[in-house]
Amino acid sequence: DAGITQSPRHKVTETGTPVTLRCHQTENHRYMYWYRQDPGHGLRLIHYSYGVKDTDKGEVSDGYSVSRSKTEDFLLTLESATSSQTSVYFCAISEWTDNQPQHFGDGTRLSIL
Amino acid sequence: GDSVTQMEGPVTLSEEAFLTINCTYTATGYPSLFWYVQYPGEGLQLLLKATKADDKGSNKGFEATYRKETTSFHLEKGSVQVSDSAVYFCAPLLPPGRDNYGQNFVFGPGTRLSVLP
């Protein structure tokens, strides 16, 4: 299995609080991604990174920010959490070569009350 | 725009039944094609892939053939087991666009499979 660790695995917090999710990889892959998974919507891309300090928005980036200061770590921050951000969040990594799949972490279940 | 259409679920089968989950895509190029599987409480895992027309991907008894003429990548298994109960995602990897620095995976909505003993 690809070395991807997401932390925390579960979190419950209140509306308006800041939340940071961490993704750590040991594969030295260039690309890292954050997705959210919600019933009826499948997987939706929030942000991705194509290198240290290089990030870009996905289709549902509003309300989220990311940072990548090291190859192995990709942080997702909810500056002021809202109930609509209750979801399961997945980190993924991939290499910079054609035809290679993504590898996924086990997810973080985030509940915002 | 680019998109994936996947068979609606849930799909419920008896053990040893034949499985087909349909997947078609629209894309301007010739994407690599992937099937992922998600077991309860886990992340997505690569099940199989095909990178060019007429390629057949296979793994764990599952197969899918890249059909360029019909832009399809249907997943099949001849005899399902209870342990195959999971959600299956079709995911083309589209060629990068002009402003896209990332690998452009497009995920279908997923098809939930339940296999009964």
Side-chain angles (χ1 to χ4, degrees):
Chain A
D1 291 341
I4 307 169
T5 305
Q6 289 187 234
S7 58
R9 291 294 315 280
H10 303 273
K11 186 172 182 66
V12 180
T13 190
E14 295 182 346
T15 300
T17 60
V19 177
T20 296
L21 308 183
R22 179 178 183 243
C23 178
H24 178 78
Q25 61 148 330
T26 58
E27 305 298 317
N28 200 36
H29 284 0
R30 176 176 176 178
Y31 288 92
M32 299 186 76
Y33 306 78
W34 277 108
Y35 292 89
R36 60 179 290 175
Q37 185 177 31
D38 304 289
H41 291 279
L43 279 173
R44 292 183 291 175
L45 181 65
I46 305 172
H47 283 279
Y48 68 95
S49 169
Y50 50 97
V52 173
K53 295 188 178 5
D54 293 322
T55 65
D56 204 354
K57 296 178 179 180
E59 66 176 299
V60 290
S61 60
D62 287 349
Y64 301 94
S65 62
V66 290
S67 66
R68 192 167 177 201
S69 59
K70 300 185 289 186
T71 299
E72 57 266 34
D73 289 326
F74 193 34
L75 304 181
L76 176 71
T77 297
L78 293 64
E79 299 289 349
S80 178
T82 67
S83 58
S84 65
Q85 294 175 310
T86 292
S87 186
V88 180
Y89 291 85
F90 287 99
C91 174
I93 64 174
S94 65
E95 298 184 67
W96 173 235
T97 52
D98 287 341
N99 309 325
Q100 295 303 308
Q102 290 178 317
H103 301 282
F104 286 82
D106 287 334
T108 294
R109 185 173 294 276
L110 178 62
S111 298
I112 300 164
L113 307 178
Chain B
D2 301 325
S3 66
V4 178
T5 300
Q6 203 177 318
M7 181 175 171
E8 290 284 338
V11 174
T12 302
L13 297 174
S14 298
E15 206 164 24
E16 299 184 2
F18 184 86
L19 169 70
T20 300
I21 300 177
N22 292 335
C23 172
T24 58
Y25 63 91
T26 58
T28 54
Y30 297 101
S32 296
L33 302 174
F34 300 87
W35 276 100
Y36 287 85
V37 59
Q38 184 180 30
Y39 299 102
E42 298 183 11
L44 279 69
Q45 303 174 23
L46 178 67
L47 180 59
L48 53 83
K49 72 175 186 180
T51 58
K52 59 183 187 297
D54 301 324
D55 265 2
K56 178 184 284 188
S58 62
N59 185 26
K60 299 181 181 181
F62 291 89
E63 293 183 339
T65 301
Y66 192 139
R67 303 291 188 195
K68 187 175 72 172
E69 63 277 9
T70 56
T71 64
S72 64
F73 193 50
H74 304 322
L75 182 68
E76 297 182 335
K77 186 174 185 181
S79 176
V80 293
Q81 306 300 312
V82 172
S83 57
D84 295 326
S85 298
V87 181
Y88 293 83
F89 293 89
C90 181
L93 171 54
L94 303 176
R98 183 185 64 185
D99 299 319
N100 178 26
Y101 297 97
Q103 292 180 304
N104 191 16
F105 288 89
V106 179
F107 285 88
T111 301
R112 182 176 299 278
L113 171 66
S114 296
V115 181
L116 305 178

